RNA sequence: GUGGCCAUAGCUCAGUUGGUUAGAGCACGAGGUUGUGAUCCUCGGGGUCGCGGGUUCGAGUCCCGUUGGCCACCCCA
């Protein structure tokens, strides 16, 4: 006898796990649809070239790639959606509405060593706006992400959206005399600043011409954009028409002219979208990926140094890189693994029973035979009638006629109601939530009652 | 890729300095009693101790390897 284990970094989904997975993916879907995105999908595996074109051959060791026995083409399980998205868009760009708003949610694969918040097979949600260069599209992407987080019960105190602007940062650096060739090194240093003591960071960034005071602004990272409070003092809402301004204390230390040219229009859109108070502008958010060209953002658990819950930004050159027409684009991705960790952390993952209810896995009605001798034989025909009406109907697999045990079965199944068969044409209906029981009554009346929403 | 900790029933665990047919609780299944989510009673299925070697008269226990898990580093599209 050989026994098998699931491959490293994969998960098995037993019924409750599958229900939890649906809970998350359904939340993703409804947030996307609320924000006017349309669902698309592609193959789970693609030609290997699709990934090496953008990221170079080095990426191959991070992929699950394979060649069919006897075949000549190399394939890879998809590690991300963006190349597929660009391919789909490029193939039909001429006939697509502008802007194009697409989302997808499905499995992705990376050949990394598993650890907290990271598996080899995971689910990822992607939203992208193609063909809209405006800060409004940037804001809409962030707003969709925030909408999902809020729908799961997270608040602006649980999670923070950290936003930066690549192009503005680059222009500003250049205006300070930091040569473009060294920007990459500086971004890397900014990305790694959390992993070194402040003195070391200040020392290293001094090489790029920054004073210790300026290093501190980077170290703290956050620059708040303040907006005037609503005119109506009883409302906590921010006046959507008031112009936002950048925190002046940072302004005194670092000349933020270039930064503010890019940020204020975005901030204005974030105000309009009603999410400015979820957002911090953070000079140290750069994202690892080289292809971002403008706004970049990450969502982090407040006070936690966990992995990013979500991340994305603007990538205006990418579609062209995949052979499509030059198209401005902005998007983000969110994985299910870190999201689930954060929900558990914040005690926002619903109970097992609530998950089953919310994904619609619980029975509408449970059929129980009463003591009448013919009742047992009538259970299956009645169940069939209820199912034909579109109801989720079950009966016990137990052979006992003990009503208490059968009702326990009904209760364990989380059914809303039980029908107790009293005879050929008589039944009682018990509401398993309230405990109220009505009947006996004619069978048709019981069926009608059980079918009520 | 590097390192640390871990692996006994579906779950949580116990298992003496190596010593008979490896245990408990919960869960699960069958039946009985009482017409209502119970109570009580009886019975039952389940583990080649992750896997493979080694040491030993004898290994769940000691050693080596391997697979998987957790955690950190690297990386993170």
């Amino acid at each position: 006898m050989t026994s098998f284990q699931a491959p490293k970094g994969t998960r098995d989904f037993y019924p409750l796990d599958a229900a939890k997975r649906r809970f998350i993916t359904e939340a993703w879907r409804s947030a996307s649809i609320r924000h006017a995105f349309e669902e698309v999908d592609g193959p789970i595996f693609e030609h290997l070239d699709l990934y090496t074109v953008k990221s170079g051959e080095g990426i191959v060791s991070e992929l699950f790639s394979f060649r069919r026995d006897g075949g000549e083409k190399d394939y890879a399980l998809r590690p991300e959606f963006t190349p597929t998205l660009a391919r789909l868009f490029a193939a039909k760009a001429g006939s697509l509405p502008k802007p194009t708003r697409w989302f997808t949610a499905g499995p992705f694969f990376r050949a990394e060593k598993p650890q907290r918040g990271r598996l080899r097979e995971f689910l990822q949600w992607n939203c992208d706006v193609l063909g809209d260069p405006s800060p409004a599209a940037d804001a809409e992407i962030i707003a969709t992400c925030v909408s999902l987080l809020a729908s799961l019960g997270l608040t602006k105190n649980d999670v923070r959206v950290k936003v930066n602007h690549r192009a503005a940062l680059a222009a500003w650096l250049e205006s300070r005399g930091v040569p473009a060739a060294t920007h990459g090194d500086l971004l890397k240093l900014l990305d790694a600043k959390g992993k070194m003591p402040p003195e070391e960071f200040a020392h290293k960034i001094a090489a790029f011409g920054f004073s210790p005071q300026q290093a501190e602004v980077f170290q703290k990272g956050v620059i708040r954009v303040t907006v005037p409070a609503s005119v109506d003092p009883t409302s906590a809402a921010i006046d959507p028409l008031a112009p936002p301004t950048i925190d002046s204390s940072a302004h005194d230390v670092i000349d933020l002219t270039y930064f503010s040219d890019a940020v204020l229009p975005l901030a204005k859109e974030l105000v309009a979208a009603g999410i400015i108070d979820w957002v911090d502008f953070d000079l140290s958010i750069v994202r690892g990926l080289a292809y971002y060209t403008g706004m970049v953002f990450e969502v982090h658990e407040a006070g936690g140094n966990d992995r990013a819950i979500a991340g994305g930004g603007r990538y205006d050159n990418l579609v062209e890189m995949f052979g499509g027409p030059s198209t401005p684009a902005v998007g983000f991705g969110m994985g299910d693994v870190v999201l689930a960790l954060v929900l558990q952390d914040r005690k926002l993952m619903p109970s097992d029973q609530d998950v089953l209810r919310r994904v619609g896995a619980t029975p509408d009605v449970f059929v129980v035979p009463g003591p009448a001798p013919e009742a047992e034989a009538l259970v299956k025909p009645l169940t069939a009638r209820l199912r034909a009406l579109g109801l989720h109907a079950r009966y016990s697999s137990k052979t006992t006629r003990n009503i208490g045990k059968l009702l326990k079965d009904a209760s364990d199944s989380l059914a809303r109601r039980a029908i107790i068969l009293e005879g050929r044409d008589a039944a009682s209906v018990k509401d398993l939530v309230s405990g109220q029981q009505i009947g006996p009554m004619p069978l048709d009346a019981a069926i009608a009652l059980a079918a009520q929403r």
Side-chain angles (χ1 to χ4, degrees):
Chain A
M1 278 287 280
T2 45
S3 67
F4 294 101
Q5 291 174 308
K8 182 195 296 192
T10 63
R11 293 171 286 183
D12 294 322
F13 293 90
Y14 290 92
L16 192 57
D17 309 309
K20 284 182 179 165
R21 179 175 64 177
R22 273 201 54 201
F23 170 68
I24 286 179
T25 55
E26 289 302 310
W28 284 347
R29 243 176 270 283
S30 37
S32 309
I33 290 166
R34 274 202 298 281
H35 285 259
F37 289 83
E38 297 178 295
E39 184 162 12
V40 295
D41 208 348
I44 302 290
F45 64 94
E46 292 269 13
H47 289 295
L48 179 60
D49 300 348
L50 186 70
Y51 302 114
T52 56
V53 156
K54 184 185 79 183
S55 313
E57 294 295 329
I59 196 77
V60 175
S61 66
E62 307 279 314
L63 298 177
F64 285 103
S65 58
F66 57 97
R67 180 181 292 195
R68 189 173 58 83
D69 192 12
E72 292 181 352
K73 289 179 175 169
D74 291 310
Y75 301 96
L77 296 179
R78 60 184 189 184
E80 60 166 325
F81 192 67
T82 310
T84 300
L85 178 90
R87 187 172 64 69
L88 293 181
F89 182 82
K92 300 218 175 190
S95 62
L96 292 169
K98 302 283 185 307
T100 301
R101 300 161 72 97
W102 283 348
F103 82 94
T104 194
F108 293 86
F109 307 85
R110 295 178 189 176
E112 297 178 289
K113 188 160 176 175
Q115 61 178 68
R116 182 173 171 80
R118 176 200 281 178
L119 295 172
R120 289 182 154 196
E121 180 185 21
F122 54 95
L123 298 170
Q124 195 176 82
W125 172 44
N126 287 263
C127 283
D128 295 271
V129 177
L130 299 123
D132 185 343
S134 72
D138 294 351
E140 183 66 1
I141 278 295
I142 296 173
T144 305
C145 188
V146 167
S147 177
L148 175 280
L149 298 167
S151 75
L152 293 173
L154 291 161
T155 69
K156 59 181 194 276
N157 300 320
D158 296 312
V159 292
R160 299 301 301 170
V161 181
K162 301 189 174 192
V163 176
N164 195 6
H165 197 288
R166 274 259 179 109
L169 190 61
W172 174 62
L173 289 173
E174 228 157 313
S175 77
R176 290 184 49 89
V178 181
T182 66
H183 287 183
D185 294 337
L186 179 56
L187 295 189
K188 224 172 202 171
L189 177 62
L190 289 176
D191 202 26
K193 74 169 165 35
K195 290 169 184 166
M196 61 186 79
E199 308 80 50
E200 186 185 346
F201 174 74
H203 176 72
K204 283 186 172 169
I205 203 165
F208 294 93
F210 290 98
S211 71
Q213 292 78 18
Q214 292 168 330
E216 207 184 315
V217 173
F218 281 110
Q219 189 73 37
K220 282 193 300 193
V222 176
I223 296 175
R224 292 195 190 271
V225 172
T226 55
V227 287
S230 169
V231 186
D232 176 5
T234 62
S235 163
I238 287 162
D239 181 356
L241 300 179
T245 56
I246 289 181
D247 180 355
S248 59
S249 64
H251 214 288
D252 293 343
V253 181
I254 295 185
D255 171 18
L256 288 163
T257 310
Y258 289 88
F259 188 66
S260 61
D261 283 351
V263 162
L264 287 180
L266 174 60
K268 202 176 156 195
E269 295 293 344
L270 293 171
V271 171
I275 55 163
I276 188 70
D277 46 357
W278 290 67
V279 175
D280 300 318
F281 288 88
D282 187 329
L283 288 170
S284 68
I285 295 293
V286 293
R287 306 282 296 150
L289 205 50
Y291 63 61
Y292 288 114
T293 55
M295 182 276 291
V296 288
F297 78 100
E298 291 180 358
V299 181
H300 290 263
E301 187 169 4
N305 37 6
D306 250 339
R307 308 171 61 73
I309 302 163
R314 178 163 283 284
Y315 48 98
D316 286 344
N317 303 329
L318 198 71
V319 175
E320 208 171 354
M321 203 183 295
F322 286 97
S326 174
T327 305
V330 58
F332 75 95
M334 177 187 291
D336 73 309
V337 184
V338 177
L339 178 62
L341 283 175
V342 172
L343 290 180
Q344 261 150 35
D345 236 37
R346 303 276 156 172
K347 309 225 183 303
L348 290 171
M349 186 64 89
S351 71
D352 295 353
Q353 296 189 349
D354 283 341
V355 167
L356 291 170
R357 286 196 191 93
R358 288 178 69 159
V359 301
T362 56
D364 300 308
V365 56
F366 202 101
V367 181
V368 170
E374 70 275 24
E376 194 166 7
L378 294 169
V379 166
K380 285 177 186 172
L382 175 57
T383 304
R385 283 186 66 182
L386 292 163
R387 287 173 176 168
L389 291 171
L391 294 173
H392 174 174
R394 293 191 195 182
Y395 53 84
S396 177
S397 59
K398 293 192 203 307
T399 53
T400 181
R401 296 295 299 278
N402 180 329
I403 290 187
K405 284 183 182 173
L406 293 172
L407 281 172
K408 174 169 163 42
D409 238 24
S411 173
D412 287 347
S413 78
L414 304 177
R416 293 175 63 208
R417 300 190 177 97
I419 290 189
I420 302 168
L421 270 164
E422 307 284 8
R424 182 174 280 276
D425 187 37
S428 305
V429 176
K430 177 161 190 168
D431 187 311
L432 290 172
V433 180
S434 69
Q436 270 194 349
Q437 183 169 327
I438 312 176
M441 65 186 90
L443 194 56
D444 286 344
I447 290 173
L449 184 56
Q452 276 178 13
R453 297 246 28 103

